[in-house]
Amino acid sequence: MASPLAQLDPDLVQAELVDIVRRLLREMGRAELASLVSANSHLTRELGLGSLELAELVLECEQRFNLKLQGQLLEELETPAAWAQRISEQLKEQPLRPAYRLPAPPSEILPEPRSARTLVEVLVQHAEADPGRVHAHVLEDSAGVPLTYGELYEQATAIAGALAEAGLERNDPVGILLPNSADFLCAFLGTQIAGGIPLPLHPPTRPTQLEDYVRRQIAVLRRVDIRVLICPRELRPIVQIFRANLPHLLGVFQPEQLRRTKARLAPGTIRPSELAVLQLTSGTTADPKVVVLRHEQVLTNLRGIGEVIGVRPDDVLVSWLPLYSDLGLIGCWLFSFYYAVPMSLLSPLEVLQHPERWLWAIHESRGTLSAAPNFAYDLCTRRIPAWALEGLDLSTWRVAVNGAEPVLPETIDRFIERFRRYGFRAEAMVPAYGLAEATVALTMPPVGRPPVRDRVRRDRFEKDGVAEPATPSDSTAIQFVCLGRPVAGQEIRIVDEHGHPLPERHVGRLVFRGPCTMDGYYRDPEMTRAATEPDGWIHTGDYGYIADGEFYFTGRSKDILLKSGRAVSPFEVEAALGELPGVLPGSAVLFTAPEAVTGTELLVTVAETRAIDLADLRRIEAEIARLVE
């Protein structure tokens, strides 16, 4: 960073401590008390923080200042000023870490591999054209480890040879259970060279949930009849569980084992499977579905995204998104791989703990392209302290894709407003819509246009399902963000409950079809039939409307709630609840539950708070009831 932590002005640390305490009090529902906090306020006697709140304060400070606090803070330190002094002393003792600068990309971009029919052919063309060109920098602790196309080719062919020796046959699924790393990139392409089908899997993140993690993974791996697993050495304790429950497994390998083989399998020795990847859907509320994508579909979608973005010779992509997600795998890595755009690759967990590291990676890499879900942009506006942004320059960032979940206008406004002073431009924000069933991208607006939002009349939207434009003076209007037009020859339309097309500005179900559309769900014809119409239209499970040919998302079919005959989308209400004093941002959830006596459904709200005082809790309940009503 331009301002290493150890060089922070003690006054900035103190100001940050006061801000943390104020926010903690607001989250406890004590907004009036929060306004009175000063550097010399007594944390327990004046502010009423108990042992639980002080423990929360310790965790918050450790995360914000990236250090483990030493000493008996809970017993010895009584004011924000005292805490700031202790933290400043520890920061001075920390060794400085040099900022990592990504070397400037070559002045000439490699020719687009338009003739390539598979991702393996893309690798061959790039490795032959410029083997020394850096494909990716894997960033760890402000250091970057480069991976060239020549090295990617050598390691991928070594892994392919080892997989062939292990008995892998063409069209065999291979589970890749690796974090964001060069190992993942090489294993993915090595699997394809060997004729296998890569299935990216997410590694476990919480030891306390290991049992549930293993259960869900085994269910998926049995369904696809997995043949090989590639996982890091740290997961050896659960390997035996996988072996015992997957009888057709040829073997479980660490990447270093596969690379040590003397065998090499050159591309073309085995014809790659037509299937490029088995992509898991999110599976947040049920077991994930396994989407089947062919090389042709992936390449067509990448080319369609490139047409919208317009790849430039100076482009650099920065990504922290997990490589097991469609946006991280295809929208970021394979996009950079196809167009030979250098990529800086970060750890998702590191960015979620310290979101400023994503922005500093863009600064240090002179990044021009990056993508993230809406929550990550919101995280940057809420969780990054001012001192952590000193010297930040985001002026090179020309395409900031916001997708993979509902895009909220409030998040866009807050992000643009906060980071405008650091060079971020409104026209860089690109709200988009996609899903694994469409490879990744389905709709995108033109690059270089500030985000467009549509203000519609609340009464017409909720009662009639019509997005009628509201007048400028209508204070009750609902806002939706424009997500653009279909990419790569895809088609979209809005239909009613019976599948009949609806006119523009009528809210209904979104369906799509086209050259990037999945073949179906792997070994699940029943689920495939349920999602597909006879004429090829695929149901997304999402609601929205089209205006002037562009798509506006309004909610997921499973999320639309009915209240007094009105259709209520929970996203707007949940976002508003998160702004209430005492409610933790992003913690509110709306859903319905059956009412046994009347036979109707109740609208239920759940919100997280740190408040423990009964009066504060009653006030928060009343505020929630007023807002939901």
Side-chain angles (χ1 to χ4, degrees), residues 23 29 62 69 98 169 173 180 185 187 190 217 247-248 320 340 344 349 418 429 438 515 525:
R23 190 180 65 256
E62 288 181 340
L69 290 176
E169 297 182 356
N180 283 12
L185 312 184
Q217 292 288 29
H248 297 147
W320 57 270
S344 289
L349 291 179
R418 181 170 192 197
M429 181 66 71

Side-chain angles (χ1 to χ4, degrees), residues 257-323:
Q257 288 178 292
L258 297 174
R259 285 197 302 266
R260 280 199 300 265
T261 181
K262 295 181 180 180
R264 287 290 188 275
L265 191 63
T269 306
I270 295 177
R271 186 161 57 94
S273 170
E274 288 188 358
L275 303 185
V277 61
L278 300 178
Q279 179 67 59
L280 294 179
T281 59
S282 60
T284 53
T285 57
D287 286 337
K289 298 185 285 288
V290 184
V291 172
V292 177
L293 294 174
R294 289 180 285 109
H295 284 274
E296 179 185 5
Q297 293 157 338
V298 173
L299 292 173
T300 300
N301 203 247
L302 295 176
R303 288 162 181 156
I305 298 170
E307 289 176 3
V308 176
I309 289 178
V311 178
R312 300 178 183 178
D314 62 342
D315 273 333
V316 174
L317 188 143
V318 175
S319 179
W320 57 270
L321 299 177
L323 288 168

Side-chain angles (χ1 to χ4, degrees), residues 375-395:
F375 86 85
Y377 292 97
D378 188 65
L379 200 65
C380 289
T381 63
R382 296 180 183 275
R383 304 294 291 177
I384 302 178
W387 58 261
L389 300 174
E390 185 181 351
L392 180 70
D393 179 10
L394 298 178
S395 62

Side-chain angles (χ1 to χ4, degrees), residues 171-176 184 188 191-192 196-201 220-221 223-226 273 275-281 289-294 298 323-326 329-330 436 520-523:
N171 293 322
D172 279 348
V174 175
I176 303 177
F184 182 103
F188 185 94
T191 296
Q192 292 185 335
I197 312 167
L199 169 64
L201 301 163
V220 172
L221 298 177
R223 204 185 328 155
V224 302
D225 194 19
I226 204 75
S273 170
L275 303 185
V277 61
L278 300 178
Q279 179 67 59
L280 294 179
T281 59
K289 298 185 285 288
V290 184
V291 172
V292 177
L293 294 174
R294 289 180 285 109
V298 173
L323 288 168
Y324 58 77
S325 70
D326 54 350
L329 177 75
I330 302 173
Y521 298 113
Y522 193 65
R523 297 186 175 182

